[in-house]
Amino acid sequence: MSSILVIGVGDTRRGDEAAGVRAAERLREEAPDGVEVIAPGVIGPMTIAELHGVTHVLVLDCIDVGREPGTVSAFETNALSPCASKSIQEFGVADLFALVGQTSDAPEEAVVLGMQPASIRPSTKLSKPVSKAIPALVEAAMDVLRGWLGQGPSTPPT
């Protein structure tokens, strides 16, 4: 039996940095049964505790990889390193998986879906390109979840 957790991360006071949180909030409405969706914003000790016993984890975040604003990119967690992505958070997604990977009950599978930001300046609103692309991030998340649940192929963006 698998236990699936979706985590929306980001700072809701820094413009597009909130993309992961906003996508997770929207995903909650359409997530399949058996999928838990949380949007803590900032990753910390409570996030690590939430991963106890989880077999699959999907993280939604704002990740600057130098693409067009609103572009969705997928990362396997073994491809993440502090240099692989630029995050404004002190403790980021790569750090989370490095710590969790050292435990005996680390998730079997983990994927990070990142949205390219246009601006992470102080603001409570997303930029237009990122706001328009939130449905694409939610759909990419649904594709991953369907694959994990055996309801279709898992085809996250590259």
Side-chain angles (χ1 to χ4, degrees), residues 34 67 83 91 133 137 156:
R67 292 185 167 184
C83 321
F91 185 82
L137 181 54

Side-chain angles (χ1 to χ4, degrees), residues 24-71:
E25 291 169 348
R26 193 174 284 184
L27 182 63
R28 265 192 205 124
E29 299 168 13
E30 53 187 277
D33 289 338
V35 174
E36 182 181 0
V37 181
I38 63 171
V42 177
I43 297 173
M46 291 303 291
T47 311
I48 295 169
E50 291 277 353
L51 290 172
H52 179 71
V54 169
T55 60
H56 295 74
V57 64
L58 173 61
V59 175
L60 308 177
D61 197 3
C62 162
I63 301 177
D64 185 353
V65 292
R67 292 185 167 184
E68 288 294 315
T71 301

